Short mmCIF file of all heavy atoms in Angstrom, two decimals:
data_model
loop_
_atom_site.label_atom_id
_atom_site.label_comp_id
_atom_site.label_asym_id
_atom_site.label_seq_id
_atom_site.Cartn_x
_atom_site.Cartn_y
_atom_site.Cartn_z
N GLU L 23 108.10 -51.54 -74.52
CA GLU L 23 107.50 -51.67 -75.85
C GLU L 23 105.98 -51.50 -75.80
O GLU L 23 105.38 -50.96 -76.73
CB GLU L 23 107.84 -53.03 -76.45
CG GLU L 23 109.32 -53.19 -76.80
CD GLU L 23 109.64 -54.59 -77.28
OE1 GLU L 23 108.71 -55.43 -77.39
OE2 GLU L 23 110.84 -54.87 -77.55
N GLU L 24 105.36 -51.97 -74.71
CA GLU L 24 103.91 -51.89 -74.57
C GLU L 24 103.45 -50.58 -73.92
O GLU L 24 102.25 -50.34 -73.79
CB GLU L 24 103.41 -53.06 -73.72
CG GLU L 24 103.63 -54.43 -74.35
CD GLU L 24 102.74 -54.67 -75.56
OE1 GLU L 24 101.62 -54.13 -75.58
OE2 GLU L 24 103.18 -55.39 -76.49
N GLY L 25 104.40 -49.74 -73.51
CA GLY L 25 104.05 -48.48 -72.88
C GLY L 25 103.40 -48.63 -71.52
O GLY L 25 102.54 -47.83 -71.13
N LEU L 26 103.83 -49.64 -70.75
CA LEU L 26 103.21 -49.94 -69.47
C LEU L 26 104.05 -49.54 -68.26
O LEU L 26 103.71 -49.90 -67.14
CB LEU L 26 102.89 -51.44 -69.38
CG LEU L 26 101.83 -51.96 -70.35
CD1 LEU L 26 101.74 -53.48 -70.29
CD2 LEU L 26 100.47 -51.34 -70.04
N GLN L 27 105.13 -48.79 -68.48
CA GLN L 27 105.99 -48.44 -67.35
C GLN L 27 105.24 -47.66 -66.28
O GLN L 27 105.51 -47.78 -65.09
CB GLN L 27 107.20 -47.60 -67.80
CG GLN L 27 107.99 -48.17 -68.96
CD GLN L 27 107.57 -47.55 -70.28
OE1 GLN L 27 106.40 -47.57 -70.65
NE2 GLN L 27 108.55 -46.99 -70.98
N ASP L 28 104.26 -46.83 -66.70
CA ASP L 28 103.55 -45.99 -65.75
C ASP L 28 102.61 -46.78 -64.85
O ASP L 28 102.05 -46.21 -63.89
CB ASP L 28 102.75 -44.91 -66.49
CG ASP L 28 103.65 -43.86 -67.15
OD1 ASP L 28 104.85 -43.81 -66.78
OD2 ASP L 28 103.16 -43.11 -68.01
N LYS L 29 102.42 -48.07 -65.13
CA LYS L 29 101.61 -48.89 -64.24
C LYS L 29 102.41 -49.33 -63.01
O LYS L 29 101.87 -49.97 -62.11
CB LYS L 29 101.08 -50.13 -64.98
CG LYS L 29 100.14 -49.83 -66.12
CD LYS L 29 98.89 -49.04 -65.68
CE LYS L 29 97.94 -49.85 -64.82
NZ LYS L 29 97.13 -50.82 -65.59
N ASN L 30 103.69 -48.98 -62.97
CA ASN L 30 104.54 -49.16 -61.79
C ASN L 30 104.52 -50.59 -61.22
O ASN L 30 104.29 -50.78 -60.01
CB ASN L 30 104.14 -48.17 -60.69
CG ASN L 30 104.31 -46.73 -61.13
OD1 ASN L 30 105.34 -46.36 -61.68
ND2 ASN L 30 103.29 -45.91 -60.90
N PRO L 31 104.80 -51.58 -62.04
CA PRO L 31 104.89 -52.94 -61.50
C PRO L 31 106.15 -53.10 -60.66
O PRO L 31 107.15 -52.41 -60.87
CB PRO L 31 104.96 -53.81 -62.76
CG PRO L 31 105.61 -52.93 -63.78
CD PRO L 31 105.09 -51.54 -63.50
N HIS L 32 106.10 -54.01 -59.71
CA HIS L 32 107.24 -54.30 -58.85
C HIS L 32 107.84 -55.64 -59.30
O HIS L 32 107.19 -56.68 -59.19
CB HIS L 32 106.80 -54.41 -57.39
CG HIS L 32 106.05 -53.20 -56.89
ND1 HIS L 32 106.67 -52.13 -56.29
CD2 HIS L 32 104.72 -52.91 -56.93
CE1 HIS L 32 105.76 -51.22 -55.96
NE2 HIS L 32 104.57 -51.67 -56.34
N LEU L 33 109.06 -55.60 -59.80
CA LEU L 33 109.72 -56.80 -60.32
C LEU L 33 110.96 -57.08 -59.48
O LEU L 33 111.84 -56.22 -59.37
CB LEU L 33 110.08 -56.62 -61.79
CG LEU L 33 108.92 -56.24 -62.73
CD1 LEU L 33 109.43 -56.03 -64.15
CD2 LEU L 33 107.83 -57.29 -62.69
N THR L 34 111.04 -58.29 -58.92
CA THR L 34 112.06 -58.59 -57.93
C THR L 34 112.74 -59.92 -58.23
O THR L 34 112.06 -60.94 -58.43
CB THR L 34 111.45 -58.66 -56.52
OG1 THR L 34 110.76 -57.43 -56.24
CG2 THR L 34 112.52 -58.90 -55.47
N VAL L 35 114.07 -59.92 -58.24
CA VAL L 35 114.84 -61.16 -58.34
C VAL L 35 114.88 -61.80 -56.95
O VAL L 35 115.15 -61.12 -55.95
CB VAL L 35 116.27 -60.90 -58.85
CG1 VAL L 35 117.10 -62.18 -58.82
CG2 VAL L 35 116.23 -60.33 -60.27
N VAL L 36 114.60 -63.10 -56.89
CA VAL L 36 114.56 -63.81 -55.61
C VAL L 36 115.49 -65.01 -55.64
O VAL L 36 115.94 -65.45 -56.70
CB VAL L 36 113.12 -64.27 -55.28
CG1 VAL L 36 112.20 -63.08 -55.08
CG2 VAL L 36 112.58 -65.20 -56.37
N ASP L 37 115.75 -65.56 -54.46
CA ASP L 37 116.62 -66.74 -54.33
C ASP L 37 115.84 -68.04 -54.27
O ASP L 37 116.41 -69.11 -54.47
CB ASP L 37 117.49 -66.62 -53.08
CG ASP L 37 118.59 -65.58 -53.24
OD1 ASP L 37 119.03 -65.38 -54.38
OD2 ASP L 37 118.98 -64.97 -52.24
N GLY L 38 114.56 -67.98 -53.95
CA GLY L 38 113.79 -69.20 -53.80
C GLY L 38 112.37 -68.87 -53.40
O GLY L 38 111.77 -67.93 -53.92
N PHE L 39 111.84 -69.60 -52.42
CA PHE L 39 110.44 -69.45 -52.04
C PHE L 39 110.28 -69.05 -50.57
O PHE L 39 109.25 -69.34 -49.96
CB PHE L 39 109.69 -70.75 -52.32
CG PHE L 39 109.64 -71.11 -53.77
CD1 PHE L 39 110.60 -71.94 -54.32
CD2 PHE L 39 108.66 -70.60 -54.60
CE1 PHE L 39 110.58 -72.27 -55.67
CE2 PHE L 39 108.62 -70.90 -55.94
CZ PHE L 39 109.59 -71.75 -56.48
N SER L 40 111.25 -68.33 -50.05
CA SER L 40 111.10 -67.82 -48.68
C SER L 40 110.29 -66.53 -48.66
O SER L 40 109.72 -66.16 -47.63
CB SER L 40 112.48 -67.54 -48.07
OG SER L 40 113.10 -66.42 -48.71
N PHE L 41 110.25 -65.82 -49.81
CA PHE L 41 109.53 -64.55 -49.97
C PHE L 41 110.11 -63.44 -49.09
O PHE L 41 109.47 -62.41 -48.87
CB PHE L 41 108.03 -64.71 -49.69
CG PHE L 41 107.38 -65.78 -50.51
CD1 PHE L 41 106.76 -66.86 -49.90
CD2 PHE L 41 107.41 -65.73 -51.89
CE1 PHE L 41 106.18 -67.87 -50.66
CE2 PHE L 41 106.82 -66.74 -52.66
CZ PHE L 41 106.20 -67.80 -52.04
N LYS L 42 111.33 -63.64 -48.61
CA LYS L 42 111.96 -62.64 -47.75
C LYS L 42 112.18 -61.33 -48.48
O LYS L 42 112.20 -60.26 -47.87
CB LYS L 42 113.28 -63.17 -47.20
CG LYS L 42 114.32 -63.47 -48.28
CD LYS L 42 115.58 -64.08 -47.71
CE LYS L 42 116.60 -64.38 -48.82
NZ LYS L 42 117.83 -64.99 -48.29
N GLU L 43 112.34 -61.39 -49.80
CA GLU L 43 112.63 -60.17 -50.57
C GLU L 43 111.41 -59.25 -50.66
O GLU L 43 111.53 -58.09 -51.07
CB GLU L 43 113.08 -60.53 -51.98
CG GLU L 43 114.39 -61.32 -52.05
CD GLU L 43 114.18 -62.82 -51.96
OE1 GLU L 43 113.03 -63.26 -51.70
OE2 GLU L 43 115.17 -63.56 -52.14
N LEU L 44 110.23 -59.73 -50.28
CA LEU L 44 109.01 -58.93 -50.41
C LEU L 44 108.73 -58.09 -49.17
O LEU L 44 107.75 -57.33 -49.15
CB LEU L 44 107.82 -59.84 -50.73
CG LEU L 44 107.96 -60.60 -52.05
CD1 LEU L 44 106.76 -61.51 -52.26
CD2 LEU L 44 108.13 -59.65 -53.23
N HIS L 45 109.54 -58.25 -48.13
CA HIS L 45 109.50 -57.37 -46.95
C HIS L 45 108.10 -57.26 -46.34
O HIS L 45 107.62 -56.17 -46.05
CB HIS L 45 110.02 -55.98 -47.32
CG HIS L 45 111.37 -55.98 -47.95
ND1 HIS L 45 112.50 -56.39 -47.30
CD2 HIS L 45 111.76 -55.67 -49.23
CE1 HIS L 45 113.55 -56.30 -48.12
NE2 HIS L 45 113.13 -55.89 -49.29
N GLY L 46 107.44 -58.40 -46.17
CA GLY L 46 106.17 -58.40 -45.46
C GLY L 46 104.96 -58.01 -46.28
O GLY L 46 103.85 -57.91 -45.72
N GLN L 47 105.10 -57.78 -47.58
CA GLN L 47 103.95 -57.47 -48.42
C GLN L 47 103.00 -58.67 -48.47
O GLN L 47 103.43 -59.82 -48.49
CB GLN L 47 104.41 -57.14 -49.84
CG GLN L 47 105.29 -55.92 -49.97
CD GLN L 47 104.52 -54.62 -49.77
OE1 GLN L 47 103.30 -54.56 -50.00
NE2 GLN L 47 105.20 -53.57 -49.36
N GLN L 48 101.68 -58.38 -48.51
CA GLN L 48 100.69 -59.44 -48.64
C GLN L 48 99.74 -59.12 -49.78
O GLN L 48 99.54 -57.94 -50.13
CB GLN L 48 99.93 -59.64 -47.33
CG GLN L 48 100.79 -60.23 -46.22
CD GLN L 48 99.97 -60.80 -45.10
OE1 GLN L 48 98.99 -60.20 -44.65
NE2 GLN L 48 100.37 -61.97 -44.61
N PHE L 49 99.14 -60.18 -50.34
CA PHE L 49 98.42 -60.04 -51.60
C PHE L 49 97.08 -60.77 -51.56
O PHE L 49 96.92 -61.81 -50.91
CB PHE L 49 99.28 -60.61 -52.74
CG PHE L 49 100.62 -59.95 -52.83
CD1 PHE L 49 101.71 -60.46 -52.12
CD2 PHE L 49 100.81 -58.81 -53.59
CE1 PHE L 49 102.95 -59.84 -52.18
CE2 PHE L 49 102.04 -58.18 -53.65
CZ PHE L 49 103.12 -58.70 -52.94
N ASP L 50 96.11 -60.20 -52.31
CA ASP L 50 94.80 -60.82 -52.43
C ASP L 50 94.85 -62.08 -53.28
O ASP L 50 94.17 -63.07 -53.00
CB ASP L 50 93.81 -59.84 -53.07
CG ASP L 50 93.74 -58.52 -52.34
OD1 ASP L 50 93.43 -58.54 -51.13
OD2 ASP L 50 94.03 -57.47 -52.96
N PHE L 51 95.64 -62.02 -54.34
CA PHE L 51 95.83 -63.15 -55.23
C PHE L 51 97.33 -63.44 -55.36
O PHE L 51 98.13 -62.52 -55.54
CB PHE L 51 95.29 -62.85 -56.64
CG PHE L 51 93.79 -62.96 -56.76
CD1 PHE L 51 92.96 -61.98 -56.24
CD2 PHE L 51 93.22 -64.05 -57.41
CE1 PHE L 51 91.58 -62.08 -56.36
CE2 PHE L 51 91.85 -64.15 -57.54
CZ PHE L 51 91.02 -63.17 -57.01
N VAL L 52 97.68 -64.71 -55.26
CA VAL L 52 99.04 -65.16 -55.52
C VAL L 52 98.95 -66.26 -56.56
O VAL L 52 98.10 -67.16 -56.44
CB VAL L 52 99.72 -65.69 -54.25
CG1 VAL L 52 101.14 -66.17 -54.56
CG2 VAL L 52 99.76 -64.61 -53.16
#
């Protein structure tokens, strides 16, 4: 609706707080 698909966000369903679904990605801000 906002026309933001081209910003390519990564949206992931997770099971908890192990962060295993992120496959080693690291971030400046969490």
Side-chain angles (χ1 to χ4, degrees):
E23 292 175 3
E24 296 290 329
L26 293 173
Q27 309 97 305
D28 291 345
K29 296 301 291 284
N30 298 313
H32 306 269
L33 304 178
T34 304
V35 175
V36 295
D37 288 330
F39 296 93
S40 70
F41 306 120
K42 62 184 180 181
E43 297 88 353
L44 298 179
H45 306 295
Q47 297 288 334
Q48 291 197 317
F49 303 89
D50 306 302
F51 282 75
V52 179

